[in-house]
Amino acid sequence: MADPRAALLPLFRAAIGAAFGAEHADTDPALRPSAHADYQVNAALALAKRLKRPPREVGTAIVAALPPNEIIERTEVAGPGFVNVWLSLGHLSQELAAVAATPSLGVVPAPRPDTVVLDYSSPNVAKEMHVGHLRSTIIGDALARVLEALGHRVVRQNHLGDWGTPFGMLIEHLLDGGAEAAEHSIADLNAFYQAARQKFDADPAFAERARRRVVMLQGGDEGTLALWRRLVDASKRYFARVYALLGITLGDADIAAESLYNPMLAEVVAELRQQGLAVESDGATCVFPPGFTGREGEPQPLIVQKQDGGYGYATTDLTALRYRLRTLGATRLIYVVGAPQSQHLAMVFRAAELAGWLAAPARAEHVAFGSVLGADKKMLKTRAGDTVRLIDLLEEAVTRARAIVDDKSPELEPDERAAVARAVGIGAVKYGDLASDRVKDYVFDWARMLAFDGNTAPYLQYAHARIRSIFRKGGVSVPEPGAIALAAPSERALALAVLSFPTVVGEVGELLAPHKLCGYLYELATSFSAFYEHCPVLKAPTEAERRSRLALADVTARVLARGLELLGIEAPARM
RNA sequence: GCGCCCGUAGCUCAGCUGGAUAGAGCGCUGGGCUUCGAACCCAGAUGUCGGGGGUUCGAAUCCCUCCGGGCGUGCCA
């Protein structure tokens, strides 16, 4: 109820019903935030058409029919028929006090919580994590946090690529004398992978051994499996280190690797065959979901069993989907996967619907995202043209942030500067990724993401630290939130921004659009800056105003910190 | 060829299920530190919303079409 919109909506619904009768009672009041007032109601223009009455007259009738209440201070009918609404100060301060009194800051649990199975990050065993994993990991983790805040049960699934033909050559190369490599860091394993690859391409005898080794691996040969596990375990340890540095909530318990589904693949294919969905085509077993065509307009297959009897990723994806629905009890399946895979996923979802696995109320959604580009507008690479290692990127972020912190805040102890540099550097990378519409590509630009101006993590962190600084400086604690009284325009604007937090979090959870939370936090921070400029806090004219402003500043800081936390970004008290 | 995505100020991007003069940041111009963190703030200039049709009282937003760019389009994942 924190957001005034939640209180206003029923009032306007009632007014429309009372003014125009039951047949119009379910008309959406079209309540929106307004540049001309606190909020505006746009329903009069649409209603005027149906009622064949002038829109302004309709607006006036709506206002006249409003039930008595303590919420609305005043209204006006403006322009062609917009109803502008201003809230009463009493209501605002009351709601603000209520929000300030709760740790959730007004975010209320969903009435019907979903079991959300969230697929994100998904690196490959025995391969370095690179920029290609950045977006899925960051976006997925932010969504996990947001959905949990909304009271949903979130089951994270890190779909590790731990299976498939490359492991034949990796294991053979391991046996060829690189045995100690698996005990070393994944950086060695990465070179290890490249060496294996090179041998595979150049040496037919090695390639043949690799193929046989794949068969042994898939056949469950114990010695082969032992070698495979060494690769997997070394990789898991490495991923854990990267996640720790990035501040990602994925742990070992969230790993649901491809190999988990191996025992279920044959059964899934059998079931699809039984249903008549999977049919033979060119020696392979395929499902042809309607509506998908290939180059020549022919039906596009989902290959669930290859000519050689092996299973590809389509089978694994279908099996994982079924497992998530049946075993994990998912009501909402979310895949944080790059946009290029949208057709593949659409086909998998469609096939799952045809098989009867995916059915309402359960739903599956592809959270698609664009690419990370370099300054040349092409996929981000190193100067040498190699893929950028994620760990290098993150370490550079911290190093760059450290240089800024050393320069701006030499008074902080070295340990604190290091912690702040980490929060700022990692936060900048994450926020830079989350701040724009995920479906678009974005250009990776250190200067822009680390800037203290504009819609960046450092700007938000700075706004937060300035608020905390007020309390440090004043040596004061947070007053009772009941003390909040709003007088100045910038106080009122800030209060409205604070109260919008729950609505925004809800939207982000529904639309799976973290950039809306970023945009909101940026507006909140700019609202605070204006307030801070115009309204002295510690030196407020009266004690009552001082207490009110302290309380308002505190609840703002908490929303900023909580919002950043939902994005996976730290908010240091000093920086 | 077909399918999906993108095209908004010089640059980077917002614009919520259509709503009032299309908004921010950077950059540019001009201001503000003996007063709570100037890592900041205030003011100003800047647009054929890719083009053209259509629906609507009203379109950046919905529909159609064209142009430009990206991605996908059977045994890699």
Side-chain angles (χ1 to χ4, degrees):
Chain A
M1 193 51 119
D3 193 322
R5 272 172 276 187
L8 286 173
L9 208 53
L11 293 177
F12 280 95
R13 281 193 195 285
I16 290 169
F20 311 114
E23 67 272 32
H24 298 288
D26 59 347
T27 302
D28 179 9
L31 176 70
R32 307 276 186 269
S34 176
H36 306 274
D38 290 343
Y39 297 95
Q40 66 184 61
V41 168
N42 300 334
L45 293 96
L47 276 167
K49 180 78 173 175
R50 284 197 274 152
L51 295 165
K52 301 191 198 306
R53 290 169 60 182
R56 289 191 61 99
E57 189 185 310
V58 173
T60 307
I62 292 174
V63 167
L66 275 169
N69 65 81
E70 305 287 309
I71 298 168
I72 299 171
E73 174 68 31
R74 72 188 176 91
T75 58
E76 79 176 6
V77 180
F82 301 105
V83 177
N84 289 335
V85 182
W86 286 267
L87 297 162
S88 75
L89 291 175
H91 178 72
L92 275 179
S93 52
Q94 186 185 318
E95 289 300 310
L96 217 41
V99 164
T102 65
S104 73
L105 298 163
V107 176
V108 291
R112 293 185 47 226
D114 273 309
T115 294
V116 181
V117 172
L118 187 56
D119 182 315
Y120 68 103
S121 194
S122 308
N124 294 312
V125 163
K127 285 175 90 170
E128 189 87 34
M129 286 185 82
H130 54 86
V131 277
H133 299 107
L134 182 70
R135 302 210 67 186
S136 176
T137 305
I138 291 174
I139 295 167
D141 207 55
L143 292 177
R145 293 164 186 258
V146 167
L147 290 166
E148 276 177 344
L150 289 167
H152 299 293
R153 174 173 168 251
V154 176
V155 183
R156 292 164 175 77
Q157 295 278 280
N158 194 355
H159 193 76
L160 283 194
D162 69 340
W163 203 252
T165 47
F167 287 91
M169 74 182 189
L170 288 166
I171 291 167
E172 279 304 317
H173 186 53
L174 190 66
L175 287 170
D176 279 4
E180 71 285 358
E183 310 306 325
H184 290 24
S185 74
I186 197 77
D188 292 340
L189 267 181
N190 204 41
F192 183 85
Y193 181 93
Q194 281 165 14
R197 179 86 235 174
Q198 203 169 11
K199 244 158 69 177
F200 184 88
D201 290 338
D203 180 353
F206 178 83
E208 184 50 36
R209 272 162 57 203
R211 274 189 277 273
R212 280 204 303 273
R213 183 60 70 178
V214 174
V215 175
M216 291 174 77
L217 180 65
Q218 290 174 342
D221 176 69
E222 201 39 60
T224 303
L225 283 173
L227 293 163
W228 170 75
R229 276 189 212 104
R230 288 170 67 179
L231 294 171
V232 173
D233 289 344
S235 298
K236 282 186 185 174
R237 284 195 294 275
Y238 176 73
F239 298 147
R241 284 213 306 280
V242 175
Y243 292 148
L245 176 56
L246 236 192
I248 294 300
T249 57
L250 285 170
D252 278 359
D254 303 312
I255 291 176
E258 286 176 348
S259 59
L260 168 70
Y261 305 106
N262 287 345
M264 311 169 212
L265 299 176
E267 184 194 323
V268 163
V269 173
E271 191 173 331
L272 290 168
R273 274 214 185 88
Q274 226 164 37
Q275 294 182 307
L277 286 170
V279 295
E280 295 298 311
S281 174
D282 291 344
T285 307
C286 305
V287 177
F288 292 92
F292 298 92
T293 53
R295 288 182 200 284
E296 313 300 328
E298 79 284 7
Q300 178 70 15
L302 215 42
I303 297 172
V304 295
Q305 191 160 20
K306 299 188 286 185
Q307 282 179 340
D308 65 3
Y311 302 106
Y313 72 123
T315 323
T316 312
D317 284 348
L318 277 167
T319 306
L321 183 147
R322 195 183 72 150
Y323 172 83
R324 290 167 186 185
L325 288 164
R326 288 191 182 172
T327 306
L328 299 179
T331 55
R332 193 178 188 190
L333 294 164
I334 297 176
Y335 292 76
V336 188
V337 175
Q341 297 217 48
S342 60
Q343 177 175 292
H344 167 70
L345 282 171
M347 290 174 75
V348 168
F349 295 166
R350 190 77 190 92
E353 285 168 2
L354 292 171
W357 303 333
L358 178 58
R363 52 179 165 158
E365 293 162 275
H366 177 202
V367 174
F369 53 84
S371 304
V372 182
L373 307 179
D376 58 1
K377 296 287 184 82
K378 295 199 285 206
M379 298 280 280
L380 186 64
K381 302 274 183 187
T382 64
R383 259 200 299 269
D386 301 321
T387 57
V388 178
R389 300 188 339 150
L390 192 49
I391 196 80
D392 292 342
L393 191 83
L394 300 178
E395 282 171 357
E396 182 169 357
V398 175
T399 303
R400 284 173 179 269
R402 178 62 190 260
I404 297 170
V405 174
D406 285 348
D407 179 50
K408 306 281 189 186
S409 304
E411 73 282 4
L412 298 181
E413 294 301 314
D415 280 358
E416 187 171 0
R417 288 208 298 271
V420 168
R422 183 180 171 282
V424 170
I426 299 295
V429 169
K430 284 181 152 180
Y431 196 89
D433 196 288
L434 293 167
S436 60
D437 188 356
R438 58 177 160 74
V439 80
K440 297 182 183 178
D441 297 345
Y442 76 93
V443 175
F444 192 91
D445 179 347
W446 287 116
R448 190 153 39 81
M449 68 178 79
L450 280 165
F452 289 84
D453 309 286
N455 191 10
T456 67
Y459 177 82
L460 298 182
Q461 289 167 325
Y462 177 63
H464 174 264
R466 280 207 296 187
I467 299 175
R468 287 289 159 244
S469 168
I470 294 171
F471 289 89
R472 268 197 310 276
K473 188 86 167 190
V476 290
S477 53
V478 181
E480 285 302 310
I484 296 176
L486 307 159
S490 61
E491 288 178 295
R492 183 190 191 84
L494 180 57
L496 286 170
V498 168
L499 292 174
S500 298
F501 181 61
T503 301
V504 172
V505 175
E507 276 179 12
V508 172
E510 186 49 43
L511 302 173
L512 308 178
H515 79 288
K516 288 184 183 294
L517 181 51
C518 296
Y520 163 76
L521 291 174
Y522 178 57
E523 275 179 33
L524 179 65
T526 53
S527 293
F528 173 76
S529 291
F531 159 79
Y532 184 79
E533 198 71 14
H534 296 113
C535 302
V537 177
L538 292 173
K539 296 180 180 174
T542 69
E543 179 57 21
E545 281 172 293
R546 180 176 136 110
R547 292 167 56 82
S548 169
R549 288 172 180 177
L550 280 169
L552 183 56
D554 175 70
V555 72
T556 302
R558 286 166 55 206
V559 172
L560 281 171
R562 177 64 175 149
L564 286 169
E565 185 186 2
L566 293 181
L567 297 172
I569 297 169
E570 293 175 47
R574 294 194 296 184
M575 59 188 282

